[in-house]
Amino acid sequence: MKVAPLPEAGRREDGRARRVAIGTFDGVHLGHRAVIGDSDTVLTFDPHPLAVVHPDALPKLLDSFPIKRDLIAGLDVDELVVIPFDREFSERSAEDFVEHELVERLGAELVSVGENFRFGKGARGDAEFLTGRPEFETRVVPLIEVAGETVSSSHIRGLVAAGDVRKAQEFLGAPFMLEGEVVPGDSRGRELGMPTANIVPDPRLAVPGHGVYAAWAHGHVAAVNVGVRPTFESGRGLLVEAHLLDFDDDLYRQTLRIAFAERLRGEKRFDSVDELVAQMNRDVEQARAIAER
């Protein structure tokens, strides 16, 4: 998949018109996947429009741009077109966006959006507005339900915050993931026989609720602690610590991506280091069993 800015002129390099899916696609969940469908081009915005228009209303996002890019690439899309969203662009009218971006620069023959998609200055553009345009066909995708619950980024965000990453995966269509640079720690895990790769999570992004999780990282099963390590007085704030099973290489300064499978337990304070180590061993075995299952 090619990641590119808006092209200068319509149609693809091979001369074909584009089938364009439009959205912010936070999480690339099942509803987003239905919108993308068989589109060959995905049009999205970076940063998230709310970060510019209403920053106080911006929720913690479900994925970083690299994760979003890779999830979309896995949907058999040819192009990911990214519009840098700034204050100037936010003042563009819905009519201007359609005429200049969708028609002139992308040469869209089909535009696919979710039923609640809004765009243009004052969010005056919507699915009905697009349907009335004669230059292209518009495909409006209704909201998706799973087990009677509507799939939405806000609902998934709540599941992740509650630590229910297993149910979040049912709505996402893939494991919830986060990534970050591995930073030096205090070597406490190595002293206890379980070295960890430590990530300080991006405060702008969603993070699973405090607890211990079975996960995958760097091609290995991992037992991951999200929290503040109450057994020790670290004073470091929120930290994501991943113990990769059957792995002992140095990951410092590398970007580590973690895919969460299931919450094992909540974070708790232990009365002794021996109790903590015994529980950590149980966590590792449980994480391994979940991954094998």
Side-chain angles (χ1 to χ4, degrees):
M1 181 187 72
K2 179 174 70 174
V3 180
L6 278 165
E8 291 299 324
R11 294 186 175 267
R12 294 153 46 114
E13 293 178 358
D14 58 12
R16 291 188 292 147
R18 290 179 170 88
R19 303 188 307 279
V20 183
I22 312 173
T24 55
F25 302 118
D26 180 31
V28 196
H29 58 57
L30 293 180
H32 298 147
R33 291 163 187 253
V35 171
I36 293 171
D38 62 354
S39 301
D40 52 52
T41 300
V42 170
L43 176 63
T44 193
F45 312 94
D46 188 57
H48 191 291
L50 279 178
V52 175
V53 180
H54 296 296
D56 292 342
L58 179 67
K60 290 185 180 293
L61 301 179
L62 290 171
D63 48 30
S64 62
F65 181 79
I67 290 176
K68 178 191 292 189
R69 174 200 64 209
D70 292 347
L71 288 170
I72 292 173
L75 301 178
D76 198 26
V77 171
D78 294 336
E79 297 175 299
L80 175 60
V81 176
V82 183
I83 292 180
F85 198 94
D86 54 20
R87 180 59 66 178
E88 180 181 356
F89 188 85
S90 74
E91 295 295 320
R92 302 274 295 275
S93 68
E95 292 85 356
D96 184 71
F97 175 75
V98 168
E99 292 170 7
H100 291 95
E101 271 63 49
L102 298 185
V103 177
E104 292 181 13
R105 301 185 71 174
L106 288 174
E109 66 175 2
L110 178 102
V111 172
S112 178
V113 295
E115 66 175 47
N116 57 356
F117 178 67
R118 299 291 186 273
F119 66 100
K121 184 178 181 179
R124 294 187 176 92
D126 57 14
E128 183 179 358
F129 176 84
L130 289 170
T131 303
R133 301 293 302 205
E135 300 95 333
F136 45 76
E137 177 186 353
T138 299
R139 175 174 170 261
V140 181
V141 179
L143 297 176
I144 301 295
E145 290 190 355
V146 172
E149 296 183 88
T150 300
V151 176
S152 70
S153 297
S154 59
H155 182 50
I156 296 168
R157 200 173 292 118
L159 292 172
V160 171
D164 196 350
V165 293
R166 185 174 182 178
K167 188 169 186 180
Q169 180 172 340
E170 296 176 12
F171 289 80
L172 287 167
F176 172 75
M177 292 183 281
L178 66 76
E179 67 179 9
E181 181 183 347
V182 176
V183 298
D186 55 15
S187 300
R188 183 78 65 178
R190 186 170 295 279
E191 292 172 4
L192 300 177
M194 291 189 184
T196 59
N198 306 315
I199 296 172
V200 177
D202 188 330
R204 298 169 296 180
L205 301 178
V207 177
H210 290 197
V212 178
Y213 296 82
W216 290 269
H218 204 65
H220 290 258
V221 178
V224 180
N225 184 79
V226 179
V228 294
R229 300 187 297 174
T231 303
F232 304 104
E233 296 294 333
S234 66
R236 296 193 60 169
L238 184 63
L239 198 65
V240 177
E241 302 170 287
H243 172 62
L244 280 61
L245 280 61
D246 308 315
F247 180 84
D248 195 30
D249 287 346
D250 187 354
L251 293 172
Y252 286 153
R253 304 305 179 192
Q254 297 185 41
T255 297
L256 183 67
R257 184 173 295 181
I258 301 172
F260 290 82
E262 188 171 321
R263 190 172 191 255
L264 304 181
R265 61 176 176 87
E267 188 179 42
K268 62 174 292 187
R269 186 182 189 282
F270 293 89
D271 293 331
S272 71
V273 171
D274 287 344
E275 288 183 25
L276 171 61
V277 171
Q279 182 60 60
M280 290 168 64
N281 282 309
R282 290 192 290 269
D283 295 338
V284 164
E285 292 311 309
Q286 192 176 356
R288 191 189 300 275
I290 288 172
E292 291 175 351
R293 182 179 69 206

